[in-house]
Every structure is written in structure tokens, then in C-alpha cells.
Amino acid sequence: MAWLAANLAFITAILVVLPQIVGDFWAFTLALFLLYAVACLGLGLSWGQAGLLSLGQGFFLGFSAYTSGLILIGFSTSAWLFPLLGLSVVAPGLIAYLFGCMIFHGRTQNTAFFAIITLALILLAAQIATAWESVTGGYNGLRNIPGLPGFSELEDAYTLSAVALGLSMMFAAWIMQTPLGVLWRALSQDERRVAFLGFNHNQLKSVAFGLSGLFGGIAGTLYAPQNSLVTPDLFGFLLSTSFVVWVAIGGRNTLYGPVLGAIGIGLATNTLRESVSFWEVILAVIFIVAVLYFRKGLTGTAEPAVKRWFERNDRVRKPAPARHSAMTFDRIAIENLNLSVGNVGILEDLDLNIGSPGIYCLIGPNGAGKTTIFNAMTGELEAQSGTVSMLGTRGIKMDARTQTIAGLGRKFQVPSVFDQLTVGENLAIALWSGRSSRRDLLRLSLLDWESPVLTELERRFPFLTDRRQMVGSLSHGQRQVLDLAMVLCTEPRLILLDEPCAGLSLAETNEVISTVRWAVDRFQATAMIIEHDMAMVRELADHVFVVHNGSMLFEGSVAEVQSNAAVQAVYTGGTK
Amino acid sequence: MTNKPRRISRRSVLAGLAGGASIMALPGGIRTAGASNPFKMGTFFSLSGPASLFGPTQTACNALAVDEINAAGGILGRTVQIVAGDGGAPPAEAAKTAVRMMLRDKVDVIVGSHDSAVRQAIVGALKGRIPYVYTPLYEGGECAPNTYVPADTPQQQVRPSINAMHDSFGTKKIYLIGNGYVWPQQTNALAKRYIAEFGGSVVGEEYAPLGPGNKFDDAVTRIKNANPDLVLITLVGGDNVNFNRTFAGFGLDKNIKRLSLLLEELTLQGIGPKNGNGLFSCMSYFSAVDTPANKAFKARYAKKFGEKAPPLSMIGVDAYSGTNCAASLINKAGSTDAKAVMAASEGLQYKTATGTGTMTNRHVAKDMFLAEAKGAEFKIIKSFGKIGHGEKCSV
Amino acid sequence: MDPVLIANGLNISFEIVTLALVAMGLAVTLGLLGVLNLAHGEFVMIGAFCAFFVQEQGLSYLWAFPLVVIVCIVIGWPVERTIIRALYSRPFDTILATWGLSLLLREIVEFFFGPGFNSVDQPVSGTVNIFGADYPLYQLLVMLIAVVLIGALVAWYVKSSTGRRIQALVDNPDLAKSVGIPTIALARNTFIFGLCLAGIAGVLLAPIVAVYPGMGIDHVLKSFFVLVVGGLGNVVGLVVGSGVIGGAESIVAAILDRTAGYTFVLIVALLFLWKKPGGLVSR
């Protein structure tokens, strides 16, 4: 909490001192840009944290500016005024959240499409605000909006905006630190992996977008009384894209970046465009250069994106609770699976049965369809016919998240770890999987969780104890191991590993083999491992499946496979 | 005006003004006595945004008027100094600039040519504390305290022009098309009244959304089917250009007259010389107005800005008249006190580009003209003389 | 046949065809390279100014076509090299960078030509009578040229080896590289090709619309929706998307008015993004 307190003091000091430095008239101008900064802070959350670039942040500002204006006009003397204004703060947040639920529902969104959809949203809002004259005042806007009772002087504008910005920044600082913030940053790097760790990625995104809406709501609700006029300009393409420019130049990932961008660039534009002839050109060039070479913006290099919890040395680790779901073995039955992509058939009438826990290796030449079997099991690819029964279901399709909660752990061929997070954060995300409720994601104490499994993994792979290390700076082998460790931290009962030892040194390989064996015994789990290295298969496998041309060629013990003529033919004749 | 469009950006004009400003900032010995206590005039012209094509003319016309005012002794004996603001900024930002002008720069008067949303924001910010002169044509109805509107009102534009078209061409069946916002709607509401007065009929009315560029093929088809004698156009900017080009492209210009109420030289340039057949406009200024006053004005303008002069257009020249209006108003009042200025406004006479304007009810009775597009220029068909504004603001 | 029906049919066709014409370049850059070029409209604008420039010099309108191709190459080459190439794998950043580029291009054109409206004369004037409906000859020509262009694009994309190579590039960039397809050059040429298509659309539209530095945004917004509705898969999606967006807008506009038509288009686009984000014609 010390860091939060330091921020609170710093922000408060700046906001109090600022008007003394710049003078009253600038403070009044600044009042507007502090509100814009609140909206930009919201954009920073959705874009910088969760990776959702919105070209329509002005929608939320505008929406609540109109509702706040209408409320102030209609109820300025009513006792209900402040509760109603509270609604106008919250409403855009709810709208954004519901909009997110609608848009993100059940699929991975193309990034560009989200930008376009938000663009369509503000264009539509601008159209409605202009056309619906009886309510919105049309093109000329809603006018003669009274000030907030008790806050109608010029100086009050700054005070209100400053308090709103201060509180918003505190809220943002806190939420960026919570497990939710960690998950957003993970999400913006690899959405699929977050789903395969058992989190509802669509809902996480909706929450981020909802909060960006809420920040727009705060700004808009104060905008109306401050300006006494609300026009469709707020839904303009220009304002929303300006927000994006400001946040990008200021630094999208940081707490201070969006704020500095909004105040600095916004205020500069407000004053310089009257005196500097080529201001727009200068701004455009700065912007392009920032996008190309300073992706983190002005503050990105100076301030770490988020003050990392794990940098504290005095943290006391707490045992994580047990996973919610029971861990018992369940048989795996794949029957008559046919799967083709385009007109290329990949799996043909594939059958695979596993009746008891243990380690099962899948071997077969390149292109045999091994990874596709995993993809069909986890719903990444849809089979044309056939059934998969596992994890207590019989041929019912589950998404990656549900499967993970039910006990699936999948490691992809390429290490899917979150490069921009620390080792500690990566492992923590895995620990939260299946153990945290939605509300838990707001508890900072989750960052202190540990489990016996994690302790054992740390013993086996000492680099995992350096929790502050950025994952991006790890070696390939360490990333492979971290990925595996994350899978095992979820304590799965069905483990799918795709070449877990690719690129590892001999020592690392041996340690991984022994760890997998240890985990399977400990969890009473079933591990299915795709492996090319026959030496490893010999070490690991209780049972081997040989896949060839999308069908099951042979299955049996290692010795049986090695002596089977058909398998030998495939391996000697089939591949070169 | 020549046929060839001039390539002037507002940059060059701004650069020119910056030069002028630096001369004004020369050491004390060279300055006139009045410069030590300048009369500060805040301006809001369209330096950015969609209306920025008018910015250079507005700035230039304002500068010319300020030169002339200073040569004639300034305002209240003080040299006029400009504090420039951007009228193309979003309303909220313009309001902040207005407050800064008022409290920090201590401007004595504000002159603006921009859209109505910005006007309302400025009115809201000033709250009548300093005189504010709003110059471009608008929908009428601005009666805020200490606010003066030498703009063309719908009554001034619509009534004489629609009657003149009826008298000259017998246009009785009229089709109304405009952008969907307040100025076209108010203007058309008035137009319907006047059309009924001479027994004409409205055979169609439609509005296109403001914002995206519209295509007008379907509107032109509807107009063709409605077969009016006259189309009354209250489209603005690019839409006005697109509509008129499409209208002529479909060959409707041969039989149907068009009367556009926001059509000045710069928009006509976009419509093009071949698409202006039977296209009329009614405003208080055209560069082609053949009065001695306008000839002299154009000569002074050409002398000051020479080759690089931004082309003259109604939205722009209004800044010249508006600046003069502000100067005369305060000189007549003898102070910038709100009450004195309000009182002085009634019956005020001031110099416009084409003659004089007379202010009553804080609006201005002025000479109106009906012009027909001939190639890239206008030809004045009719001078209506002084036309009343029909506004009823109290003083 | 009823001339009113014919006239409405022609209007709807024109709306659809011009939409497809403008969206064509965007479909190439977004669909094939994954680059959402927000400066697309500015290249349409540059095309229109090429037509204006040619007219100013007293040359034939037809000279605008070679001129716009040269201008697009001259601008597109360094832009691709310095801005776009670094961002092929960063779709968000492309959106941002091209937005900056659009500001820059507008300011540059404004510097040379001023902020005002310009007009380009129609190279052929007059109307033709089609089953009782008078229709501008030039617009008829634009429709024909646009249809031919779209047809050529389909044929080129499907038949030619470049088309196949781009398909390979799209389907699997790494593989394309490993089998020796020069991805860097191919991507650059594809990007410039997309710009040229935008420029040519600008040249064709210039005699009908208002020509001014800010015109790009007017033309580009609906193109996004066309691609959203049609899907990014291929040129068929472009035609389908233009049909849905252009058809919906002009039918509603013909029945009610432009405001209703435009609002309807935005709602249709939102519904598609919600319910069918892959578009009607998937890859």
C-alpha cells in the first residue's frame, strides 16, 4: 500500500500546486483538460492494459455529458439531483460493459474490427445527437445547463476536475496492481493462453471496456455543468482520435502517460494552433515517430508500466486455497474423428482410448495430425464428425476455459508465456486458475499466493524463484520450463504437452522428464505428450500411440511400437 | 475575382500577420501614444476545422478593418490590437479561450465568425461581461445580453429572394433541401410562410445528415419527380457542392431554378463554372456588388494584400463589417460598459463593405442582393436595398 | 418499365459501384496485408487533386491516371519503407501511424492547394436516356470503368502468379518466405497497388464531388463498413459488402431520406460486427 500512498500524495500535491504555478485563467482552461485526462485514463485502461484500442472513447464522455446536462436542467433543485448524477456516471460504464459482453461473446476479435466497431458507435451517436433535436438540442447542442449547486464559480471548475482526476488516478493505480490488472496485461499479449489458464477472457475484456466507459462517465458528468453546453462535437471522430493520439504520445501502459498526454498535448494544441502555423504537421510527425520508435510513449521509458508487486522484498507468502474442482481420473475416448481444414483432410476416422492414468506419448511423422488431435480435443479446431469424451463429458463441446477449470492443462509447442510480465506474475496467474473467484481478482493478497506444487517446481528449477525477472529476458529453455510450470501449477488431471523438451539442454530435458513423471504421479493425472525424440519416449511413455496420415496406425508399449513392422515402415520409408 | 483559384493558405496570412504584430512590438520611440494602452480585440475566426477555408479571408478582412480603424484614431482613442483565438475549435475549448481572453488578456471586445455551437459556448463563457459581435449568417434568435449580431438572418435572405424569384421566373412550386440542423430548419420554416404568402406550394422537403459527405443522386431523382420550379437549398459546404454538381449532372439545371442561401464565392468555386446554370444566391455581400463602396473596399483590400490576397467571400467579408460594427458601437457608447454599449447599439450606423448597416434590436438592417452564378463568378441580378432583420432582441 | 424505378435502380447501382471502387484499395491493403490504412481516404483525395491539377495545367483529364499512379508510387514507396513495413505485425500501431499520415497528407495538400473547394469538369457531359430515365453519361462511364476494374482485380487475383503469391503470403507469411517468395518486395508492391487503386478512385470521382483537402474522410468511412460486412477474404466480399451497405443506404434513402439511410447503415454495420464479425464472405 505504500506505493499507492506515495502516488496519492504526489498526485494531490501536483494538483494543488498546479494552479498556483499557471495562474487562475490557465487553471480554468486546465479544468477541461483534466476531464479529458480522466477519459484518457479510461482509454489507457482498455487499450494500454487490456489491449483494446477504442476509436470511440468520446462516446462515453458525450453520453454522460448529455445525461448529466439533461438531469441538471430537469432536476437542478431536486433532492434526487446527486443520486441521478451518480447514475449518469455509472451508466456509460454499464453500457460499455454490456456492449463488450455483446461484442466479445465467444470469439477472439480481430483488433482492427474492434476499432471499427467503436468508430461506428460514435458516428451513430453523433447522428442521433444531431437528429434528435427535441431531447439533445440538435446540432447547436443542449444549452444553458446550470452549474452543480454549490460549485458554480470559475475556480470550482478546476477543483472539481482535479478531485475527479485524483480519485480516478487512484482507482486506476489500484486496479492496475490487482490480479485483474495483471490478467489484462496478460490478455493483451496472448488471449488464447489466458483462456487456457481457465479465465473468462471475454469477460475480462468487457470489464476493462466497462471501466473505460466509467471513466468517460465521470468526465462527461462533470463536463456538462462546467461548460453549460453539450454539443455533438463530443461524438466527433476528431475528439476520440485526439484521445488516442494523446494517450499514445503520453504512454499508454502507464498511469501517468494518458494524463500527461491529455494535459500536455491537449493544452498545447489548444494554445499553439493559434500561433504556431504548422502545429498540426508537427503533431502528426511527433505522433508517427512515437508510434514507430517510442511505443511506450513519453512516460514509458521513465516509469515502469506498473510498479510491480514482486519488487517488494518483505512479502509474506500465503498458501493458495485448493482448486475448486475435484481431481479424479476420467477416461478419454475419441471416436471416429474426422477433421479437415478447407479441403485438406487432416484426421480420418481417428480412434483413441485411454482407460487409466499415466503417460501416453503420441508419435508420428510430421504432418500426421498429432497437434490437430490436441486442437480437436480442446475445441481450437472443429471436427466434422466424431466425438471426444473426456473430463466428465461425453461428446459435449467445451471451450478452453471450461476445460481448464475441469482439469485440463495444455502446453503449446511454442512457449506461450507472457513476455511483458515477470516470472512471478506468470506463475501467479497459473495459481489463480480455478482457485480464485471473480471478487478475488481485486485482492492484492492474491499476488502472495504459493502452493506446495509451486514450491516443488521452484526447487527443481531455481530460476523460478527470481520472481522479478521479466519473462522476455529468459532463455528459450527457461521459457519452455516456465510454460510447463504454469501448466502444472493449475494441478491438471489431463495434461496435453506438445514437444515439451524442444530446444532444451540435456540437463533441462532430464529435469523436465522427471518433473512430468512426478506431476502425473502426484495428481493421478493423464499426460498426453507429443514427442519426436524416441529416447525421451522410451524414458517417459507408459503407452505409445502412433499416428499416421490422420489415423491411428498402432498403439502399444514402447517395445511393441519399436518392433512393429508397420511403424518401422513409416519411419524408415515414409520420412527422409 | 478572377476565374483562376488562388492558392493561399491561412499560413501565409498568419505569417503576414505575425510580421505585422512584430512591427507593432517595436521599441517605444516608434510607437504611437495610443499603443501603450492598446484597445484589445479578441477574435474567433475559423483557423481550423471544416470552415477553415474561410479563415484566411476572415483574418485578412479583420486586419484591413483594424488598419482603417487605427488610421481613423482607433477605438476610444486607443490603438486596436488583436488577440486571436480559433473559432474552429470545439465549443468547450473555444469557451475556455474566451474566458482567458476576458480575464487574462483583458480584451475589451470579442468579434467572432464561426458556427452557432461555438457562439453559444462563447456567450455562456462571457455571460455578457464584455461586448461580443457575431458576424456570419445564422438562424436568428440570439438575444443574449451584450451580444450584437450584424449577421444575415433568415428573414433577410429568404423573403426578398423567394419573392424576387417568383416575380422574375414565376416559380411557385418549391422544393426544400438542406442539412439536418437548426439553420436550414429555421430558414425553411420561415420560407414556408413566405411561400404561402404569394400562393406558392412546397412540393418536397428533405434533410441530409451533417457530417459525412452525402451523395445526392436519389434526392435529385426525387426532385425530378416532384417537378418543382425552384429548389431552395440550405445545404452547406461540401454537401452544397456535391448536390449542385449532381443536380447539373442529371441535367435538371435546364428547367429548374436553384436558390442557395449559403452560396458564396468559395463554394461556387467548388461547384464549378459548368454546373451553375440557373443557380442563385441571396446574401448581403458578393464580391461582384457594383456599389462605389464595394469598389473602394476591394481596392483597399487588394492594395493591402496584393497578389496573395485570399479570395473575397461573404463569410470573411462579414469579419470586416463586424469589426467596424464593434468599433463604431464602442466609440458611440464611449466606453465598454455593458449598459452603455447596449444603449448605443440601437440605431447605430456603421460602415460595411458595401455601404452602411443600421443596428436595431442588436441585429442589422442591411443591403441585400440577389446574384446569379455566371461561370465561376456571381452576377448581381437585383439589389433589394435595406432589408429588415425581423429579430426582436431587447436593448 | 417505369422510369422512376429505372432511375432508382441506376442510383442504387451507382452508390454500390462507387462504394466498391473506393473500398477496393482498402480491401487490398487490409485484406491482403492486414494494414488498416486510415490514410486511405487521403489517397482518394490526392487522386482527386491530380485530376484538378491536370485540368489546371490545361491537359486532358486522362493524364490524371498516369499522374496519380506516379504520385502514389512516389509517396507510397517511402511511406511503406519507413512506416508500414515496421508495423506489419502490429495492426494497432498501423492504425495509429496511418492516422498520423492522414493528418500529414491533408496538411501538405492544403499547403499547396489551399483549404478551399475546387471543381473538376466532367470529361464527358450530358445525359443519356436509359429506358426513359435521364442519367449522366459520365456517371454511367464511371460505373462501367469501376466494374471493369473490379473484374480485372478478381481475374488478376485468381489467375496471375502474383495473385497466387499474395494468396500464399496471406495464408502463411513464414512459409511464403521460406519457399522463396520475396515477401518484402511483394508486400511493398501490394501496399502501393492499394494506394494506386485509391488514387484512381479519386480521379474517377473528382468530376462528380467536391474536391478539397478534407474530402478523404467522407469517402473512407463507409469503406470500412463495406469490408466489415463483406469480410476480408476476397474480392467477392468487397462486392457483397458494397451491395449490402450501398444498397441498404440508398434504398432507405430513396424511401425516407439521407439521414435515415445513413443511420440505417451504421446500425447495419454494428449488427454485422456483433453477429457476424467475419463478414458474409469468409476467407
Side-chain angles (χ1 to χ4, degrees):
Chain A
M1 296 316 272
W3 181 74
L4 287 181
N7 268 293
L8 176 65
F10 179 66
I11 294 165
T12 312
I14 290 282
L15 290 176
V16 169
V17 169
L18 206 54
Q20 316 300 325
I21 300 171
V22 299
D24 281 354
F25 318 124
W26 282 110
F28 181 62
T29 304
L30 212 48
L32 176 66
F33 289 93
L34 295 187
L35 291 185
Y36 285 165
V38 174
C40 286
L41 205 53
L43 185 60
L45 281 188
S46 69
W47 179 28
Q49 300 294 304
L52 302 164
L53 173 58
S54 165
L55 294 180
Q57 180 67 356
F59 173 80
F60 305 111
L61 176 78
F63 182 88
S64 66
Y66 272 105
T67 52
S68 158
L70 288 169
I71 290 165
L72 281 161
I73 290 171
F75 302 89
S76 63
T77 53
S78 160
W80 288 96
L81 178 65
F82 284 97
L84 282 171
L85 286 178
L87 273 184
S88 122
V89 170
V90 178
L94 274 177
I95 291 171
Y97 174 72
L98 294 175
F99 190 73
C101 291
M102 256 169 60
I103 298 297
F104 301 133
H105 179 71
R107 58 178 161 253
T108 313
Q109 201 81 30
N110 180 327
T111 50
F113 273 38
F114 183 73
I116 296 177
I117 206 168
T118 52
L119 181 63
L121 192 67
I122 47 161
L123 291 177
L124 185 61
Q127 201 46 47
I128 291 170
T130 314
W132 198 12
E133 211 172 323
S134 57
V135 172
T136 62
Y139 175 78
N140 279 3
L142 202 59
R143 43 176 160 167
N144 300 326
I145 299 166
L148 277 178
F151 297 95
S152 47
E153 296 303 312
L154 281 185
E155 303 83 65
D156 294 335
Y158 179 83
T159 313
L160 281 175
S161 299
V163 169
L165 178 60
L167 292 176
S168 302
M169 285 182 76
M170 288 318 300
F171 181 72
W174 167 72
I175 200 111
M176 282 160 79
Q177 285 234 309
T178 59
L180 183 61
V182 176
L183 282 173
W184 281 339
R185 292 191 290 282
L187 192 74
S188 67
Q189 294 167 51
D190 191 344
E191 196 169 330
R192 182 175 68 162
R193 184 69 166 118
V194 173
F196 269 101
L197 283 166
F199 296 97
N200 187 338
H201 55 116
N202 290 320
Q203 189 162 40
L204 290 170
K205 289 199 293 188
S206 301
V207 170
F209 194 51
L211 282 177
S212 79
L214 178 73
F215 279 69
I218 296 170
T221 301
L222 291 174
Y223 177 98
Q226 184 186 110
N227 293 287
S228 76
L229 174 74
V230 179
T231 59
D233 287 82
L234 292 178
F235 296 131
F237 190 52
L238 198 67
L239 183 66
S240 288
T241 43
S242 295
F243 286 165
V244 172
V245 171
W246 299 342
V247 171
I249 296 179
R252 65 185 97 151
N253 309 105
T254 63
L255 175 63
Y256 290 95
V259 175
L260 285 178
I263 297 174
I265 309 287
L267 205 56
T269 303
N270 178 258
T271 48
L272 294 184
R273 70 168 157 212
E274 286 150 17
S275 48
V276 179
S277 311
F278 290 95
W279 172 247
E280 285 106 328
V281 177
I282 295 168
L283 190 60
V285 171
I286 293 177
F287 181 58
I288 293 175
V289 169
V291 169
L292 281 175
Y293 303 109
F294 303 99
R295 292 176 72 184
K296 290 175 175 172
L298 294 176
T299 56
T301 34
E303 180 195 355
V306 173
K307 187 79 179 170
R308 286 174 202 284
W309 190 255
F310 293 108
E311 286 174 16
R312 287 183 46 196
N313 293 322
D314 58 339
R315 47 191 290 274
V316 181
R317 294 172 69 174
K318 303 182 189 94
R323 276 185 63 104
H324 300 316
S325 55
M327 297 288 164
T328 53
F329 172 77
D330 188 64
R331 77 182 180 88
I332 295 160
I334 298 176
E335 287 161 14
N336 284 323
L337 204 60
N338 282 287
L339 193 152
S340 51
V341 176
N343 45 17
V344 182
I346 299 179
L347 300 181
E348 282 166 27
D349 288 330
L350 182 111
D351 292 302
L352 187 155
N353 279 286
I354 293 177
S356 61
I359 297 179
Y360 298 81
C361 281
L362 270 71
I363 64 169
N366 275 332
K370 303 183 294 291
T371 303
T372 307
I373 295 175
F374 281 8
N375 283 336
M377 290 170 76
T378 60
E380 293 279 281
L381 289 175
E382 198 168 343
Q384 275 74 28
S385 67
T387 57
V388 176
S389 304
M390 58 184 211
L391 299 168
T393 60
R394 297 286 172 268
I396 300 166
K397 266 193 67 185
M398 293 194 290
D399 59 20
R401 179 181 73 92
T402 325
Q403 286 182 331
T404 305
I405 297 297
L408 174 84
R410 179 172 179 188
K411 187 199 163 309
F412 292 93
Q413 195 167 359
V414 179
S416 315
V417 287
F418 306 112
D419 284 350
Q420 315 284 325
L421 300 181
T422 62
V423 170
E425 284 167 328
N426 271 272
L427 290 168
I429 292 173
L431 274 185
W432 302 333
S433 168
R435 302 184 217 246
S436 56
S437 68
R438 276 185 216 167
R439 217 195 297 159
D440 280 341
L441 293 181
L442 296 176
R443 290 185 218 277
L444 291 172
S445 60
L446 254 71
L447 293 152
D448 294 330
W449 276 4
E450 61 171 354
S451 76
V453 171
L454 179 57
T455 311
E456 172 64 21
L457 290 167
E458 282 175 344
R459 193 190 63 73
R460 288 168 179 265
F461 304 101
F463 78 92
L464 293 178
T465 55
D466 185 6
R467 297 169 70 88
R468 293 186 231 167
Q469 177 87 356
M470 289 298 288
V471 170
S473 62
L474 295 180
S475 70
H476 175 77
Q478 286 173 323
R479 286 146 55 92
Q480 284 279 40
V481 170
L482 176 63
D483 198 1
L484 178 68
M486 286 166 71
V487 169
L488 297 183
C489 275
T490 66
E491 300 179 18
R493 56 180 157 154
L494 171 58
I495 307 171
L496 305 183
L497 304 176
D498 201 340
E499 299 191 39
C501 296
L504 297 194
S505 70
L506 192 60
E508 285 169 331
T509 302
N510 287 334
E511 191 57 47
V512 165
I513 290 173
S514 113
T515 306
V516 170
R517 173 65 67 193
W518 164 80
V520 166
D521 290 345
R522 182 180 168 116
F523 305 144
Q524 280 299 293
T526 310
M528 292 174 69
I529 303 174
I530 295 174
E531 191 50 73
H532 282 286
D533 185 346
M534 279 312 288
M536 259 201 76
V537 174
R538 271 193 294 276
E539 285 280 322
L540 268 170
D542 299 325
H543 194 82
V544 178
F545 294 103
V546 185
V547 186
H548 181 53
N549 286 342
S551 303
M552 195 59 70
L553 181 71
F554 183 77
E555 64 171 293
S557 67
V558 177
E560 285 165 349
V561 165
Q562 280 181 317
S563 59
N564 181 278
V567 176
Q568 282 170 350
V570 167
Y571 271 87
T572 52
T575 58
K576 284 168 194 162
Chain B
M1 279 292 291
T2 60
N3 190 344
K4 201 172 163 67
R6 288 166 197 176
R7 306 225 182 89
I8 301 302
S9 76
R10 65 193 155 92
R11 315 290 182 205
S12 50
V13 176
L14 283 173
L17 288 180
S22 63
I23 291 168
M24 284 171 75
L26 284 172
I30 305 177
R31 271 184 279 168
T32 58
S36 58
N37 179 21
F39 185 94
K40 289 190 179 173
M41 177 184 283
T43 59
F44 281 95
F45 298 136
S46 304
L47 305 182
S48 65
S52 64
L53 73 154
F54 299 120
T57 316
Q58 289 166 344
T59 312
C61 284
N62 171 253
L64 178 63
V66 167
D67 276 5
E68 292 174 14
I69 292 163
N70 284 339
I75 301 178
L76 303 178
R78 288 146 65 190
T79 306
V80 178
Q81 184 187 325
I82 295 298
V83 178
D86 183 5
E93 291 192 36
K96 304 291 174 189
T97 309
V99 168
R100 227 162 48 227
M101 281 181 179
M102 176 169 66
L103 298 181
R104 184 193 61 167
D105 302 325
K106 306 259 189 287
V107 300
D108 299 287
V109 64
I110 287 180
V111 176
S113 182
H114 41 71
D115 68 17
S116 285
V118 169
R119 182 190 75 241
Q120 289 170 11
I122 292 175
V123 163
L126 298 180
K127 297 196 171 70
R129 281 173 282 193
I130 50 175
Y132 167 44
V133 178
Y134 179 68
T135 68
L137 60 84
Y138 87 127
E139 62 275 8
E142 182 58 81
C143 289
N146 213 6
T147 302
Y148 310 90
V149 194
D152 292 7
T153 63
Q155 174 154 317
Q156 287 170 317
Q157 288 192 282
V158 176
R159 183 174 224 159
S161 61
I162 244 175
N163 283 321
M165 293 300 287
H166 177 238
D167 293 344
S168 308
F169 305 103
T171 52
K172 294 193 79 157
K173 288 187 292 174
I174 296 171
Y175 197 102
L176 312 175
I177 183 166
N179 279 117
Y181 76 106
V182 57
W183 175 72
Q185 283 155 357
Q186 299 269 3
T187 303
N188 284 342
L190 264 183
K192 283 188 229 170
R193 226 168 69 201
Y194 302 140
I195 291 166
E197 276 177 17
F198 65 71
S201 60
V202 174
V203 295
E205 178 177 5
E206 66 174 279
Y207 297 94
L210 195 65
N214 287 292
K215 284 202 182 78
F216 289 98
D217 298 43
D218 51 331
V220 166
T221 303
R222 275 193 293 276
I223 290 172
K224 191 179 177 196
N225 294 333
N227 194 27
D229 306 317
L230 175 73
V231 182
L232 182 65
I233 304 162
T234 43
L235 294 162
V236 300
D239 274 352
N240 200 8
V241 174
N242 287 348
F243 172 79
N244 282 298
R245 293 184 71 94
T246 308
F247 190 89
F250 274 78
L252 268 60
D253 57 336
K254 295 186 192 76
N255 302 317
I256 304 173
K257 304 285 180 212
R258 287 170 283 171
L259 173 61
S260 176
L261 293 181
L262 184 38
L263 176 60
E264 34 56 64
E265 286 77 359
L266 295 180
T267 308
L268 184 62
Q269 184 179 308
I271 292 171
K274 293 186 177 158
N275 303 310
N277 184 24
L279 176 59
F280 295 81
S281 175
C282 176
M283 295 193 302
S284 63
Y285 185 83
F286 293 97
S287 177
V289 166
D290 203 16
T291 61
N294 190 37
K295 280 181 179 161
F297 166 74
K298 286 200 291 189
R300 294 196 301 277
Y301 184 78
K303 185 166 169 242
K304 180 165 168 65
F305 297 104
E307 278 287 293
K308 292 187 165 183
L312 287 170
S313 120
M314 161 74 191
I315 313 285
V317 174
D318 59 7
Y320 175 83
S321 306
T323 306
N324 281 333
C325 175
S328 305
L329 191 58
I330 288 157
N331 276 332
K332 185 182 172 197
S335 80
T336 53
D337 174 66
K339 268 189 192 145
V341 179
M342 288 277 268
S345 75
E346 198 63 17
L348 173 82
Q349 293 260 347
Y350 67 93
K351 188 166 83 172
T352 68
T354 58
T356 57
T358 309
M359 184 171 275
T360 52
N361 297 93
R362 290 185 275 140
H363 284 69
V364 173
K366 56 173 92 168
D367 293 328
M368 297 297 293
F369 304 92
L370 183 67
E372 183 178 8
K374 288 284 177 203
E377 292 181 47
F378 284 107
K379 184 174 168 236
I380 305 299
I381 300 294
K382 193 164 178 164
S383 297
F384 296 112
K386 279 238 187 336
I387 300 290
H389 50 70
E391 298 292 320
K392 298 185 179 64
C393 302
S394 60
V395 260
Chain C
M1 279 257 261
D2 182 7
V4 176
L5 220 57
I6 300 276
N8 282 329
L10 284 166
N11 289 343
I12 293 170
S13 315
F14 186 71
E15 179 98 32
I16 292 171
V17 168
T18 48
L19 257 182
L21 181 66
V22 172
M24 205 156 53
L26 201 64
V28 168
T29 44
L30 180 58
L32 299 183
L33 299 176
V35 171
L36 179 57
N37 182 11
L38 283 187
H40 181 75
E42 273 58 40
F43 284 91
V44 175
M45 180 266 288
I46 285 170
F49 269 95
C50 284
F52 174 67
F53 178 78
V54 163
Q55 173 180 293
E56 279 282 278
Q57 303 307 311
L59 297 169
S60 154
Y61 169 78
L62 292 175
W63 283 104
F65 291 100
L67 177 65
V68 77
V69 170
I70 293 167
V71 169
C72 285
I73 291 172
V74 166
I75 300 174
W77 193 291
V79 162
E80 198 276 343
R81 184 71 193 79
T82 55
I83 299 176
I84 307 295
R85 188 178 296 175
L87 304 177
Y88 280 125
S89 56
R90 292 155 52 186
F92 269 156
D93 291 335
T94 334
I95 298 177
L96 300 178
T98 52
W99 166 249
L101 180 66
S102 75
L103 292 176
L104 209 56
L105 291 174
R106 267 206 300 279
E107 291 290 325
I108 290 170
V109 171
E110 190 180 315
F111 181 78
F112 286 109
F113 291 93
F117 297 113
N118 300 291
S119 66
V120 174
D121 294 335
Q122 298 193 352
V124 291
S125 56
T127 56
V128 286
N129 191 297
I130 302 171
F131 302 112
D134 288 325
Y135 199 75
L137 180 57
Y138 180 71
Q139 294 193 194
L140 203 63
L141 269 178
V142 169
M143 274 202 261
L144 287 177
I145 295 171
V147 167
V148 168
L149 269 177
I150 294 165
L153 189 66
V154 175
W156 169 79
Y157 187 57
V158 174
K159 292 263 168 63
S160 80
S161 70
T162 318
R164 272 200 297 280
R165 287 196 295 173
I166 292 178
Q167 267 171 331
L169 175 68
V170 174
D171 291 343
N172 192 336
D174 296 331
L175 188 67
K177 203 169 187 172
S178 66
V179 299
I181 294 174
T183 47
I184 289 180
L186 194 57
R188 179 193 58 221
N189 295 345
T190 308
F191 180 75
I192 293 175
F193 180 62
L195 298 187
C196 289
L197 285 175
I200 287 168
V203 172
L204 285 171
L205 291 178
I208 312 171
V209 300
V211 177
Y212 62 105
M215 68 186 281
I217 196 86
D218 293 352
H219 295 280
V220 78
L221 282 178
K222 278 180 210 148
S223 305
F224 294 147
F225 302 140
V226 163
L227 298 184
V228 160
V229 169
L232 299 175
N234 52 40
V235 189
V236 179
L238 168 70
V239 177
V240 171
S242 305
V244 171
I245 292 287
E249 173 155 29
S250 47
I251 288 168
V252 172
I255 296 167
L256 298 167
D257 64 5
R258 275 277 137 188
T259 308
Y262 176 64
T263 311
F264 186 67
V265 159
L266 292 174
I267 292 170
V268 166
L270 276 172
L271 284 177
F272 263 93
L273 283 160
W274 174 26
K275 286 295 184 192
K276 211 156 174 32
L280 284 171
V281 182
S282 55
R283 190 169 274 160

